[in-house]
Amino acid sequence: MKQKRRFPFLLGTVSMGVALIFSACAPFPVPADWPVALKEDRVKVRTLESAVANSVPVRSLTRQERSLLTFLSDNQRVNEAIGKEDRYGGTASWKIAEIFIVEPGRRVSVLCEEGHYQEPLYFRYNPDNQVWYRVEGFDDPDAAAFPALIVRK
């Protein structure tokens, strides 16, 4: 009598459960499709060029910073990461106002606004695994970090 293999199903179920538990414990919304694997897209990077508040020209940003800008160019993704709706219209209409390169190639702060309110998004890069992590802030290096973007070459 043949036995059915249930391991792949079980593994998928366990992985999904672990992801849900971690995202439920996050101090901020974690979109279901995170982490996203992307490489830089120069056209998408140019759409956020005016939002970069640093004196460094966009063309001299690191590859991982340009990949993060590509990631942030998807406004739907930004709205899901903030997870709040406009209190007046009941819609999620967050836009990126400014992007600050806090520590080149390592830490980026993104200020989003929806007309009435502002919300920050903080990202920290780990060069060992080439992943940008969403973090609650930069003050506590041991604070919860959730993978948002896997930088592809």
Side-chain angles (χ1 to χ4, degrees), residues 39-46 66-67 69-70:
K39 62 182 181 176
E40 66 181 277
D41 180 326
R42 295 195 185 271
V43 173
K44 291 180 179 180
V45 168
R46 276 191 234 118
R66 289 190 304 269
S67 294
L69 291 180
T70 301

Side-chain angles (χ1 to χ4, degrees), residues 55-152:
S55 59
V56 178
V58 171
R59 68 181 174 276
S60 62
L61 294 176
T62 64
R63 178 178 53 83
Q64 64 261 28
E65 289 166 342
R66 289 190 304 269
S67 294
L68 183 61
L69 291 180
T70 301
F71 174 79
L72 293 169
S73 69
D74 182 343
N75 203 55
Q76 173 74 22
R77 189 172 289 130
V78 170
N79 281 288
E80 289 174 357
I82 293 173
K84 295 180 182 177
E85 293 183 349
D86 178 356
R87 294 183 188 163
Y88 297 101
T91 61
S93 58
W94 295 91
K95 305 282 186 230
I96 293 176
E98 292 181 312
I99 299 170
F100 301 95
I101 310 297
V102 177
E103 181 184 350
R106 293 291 210 148
R107 296 186 303 162
V108 173
S109 172
V110 181
L111 181 65
C112 302
E113 59 184 24
E114 58 79 34
H116 300 99
Y117 301 99
Q118 294 181 334
E119 286 288 328
L121 300 175
Y122 300 104
F123 295 92
R124 184 179 309 142
Y125 184 70
N126 182 342
D128 295 333
N129 61 1
Q130 299 184 341
V131 174
W132 281 102
Y133 289 86
R134 166 100 187 266
V135 294
E136 190 172 15
F138 297 132
D139 296 335
D140 182 4
D142 297 324
F146 293 87
L149 169 66
I150 301 167
V151 177
R152 294 287 180 222

